[in-house]
Amino acid sequence: TFDRRGKLHRVLTAKNVKLLDPKNKRYRVMQMKMVNKQNGRSSIMQINKIKLRESIPDKYFKQRYLERG
């Protein structure tokens, strides 16, 4: 991403992309690194274990359900 002055601010790098569900062609990134190019700081998110649901019920995406909080 870039800041308001157009200078490079952050860079996200995705590593270790795994095919977790070949049947449905579902991939997941297992490691991401965000580097702040202006101050040198960085954050890493590492996923060691993940479980995918076969399907999510449609009711979870209805407006009423989402507004419940």
Side-chain angles (χ1 to χ4, degrees), residues 3-59:
D3 65 13
R4 292 180 182 163
R5 290 171 276 169
K7 288 188 169 188
L8 183 61
H9 188 200
R10 292 185 216 127
V11 174
L12 176 68
T13 305
K15 292 183 177 180
N16 196 11
V17 179
K18 287 190 175 181
L19 176 60
L20 298 179
D21 182 3
K23 179 182 172 188
N24 296 309
K25 299 179 183 173
R26 291 166 65 183
Y27 293 83
R28 291 296 180 265
V29 175
M30 304 304 283
Q31 181 180 352
M32 289 184 273
K33 182 176 183 179
M34 179 71 79
V35 178
N36 184 321
K37 292 296 190 175
Q38 294 179 358
N39 64 20
R41 292 190 229 168
S42 64
S43 299
I44 296 175
M45 182 175 82
Q46 176 76 38
I47 299 172
N48 297 317
K49 185 176 179 181
I50 187 168
K51 183 178 178 183
L52 299 178
R53 295 173 101 178
E54 285 297 316
S55 64
I56 299 172
D58 288 340
K59 70 177 186 176

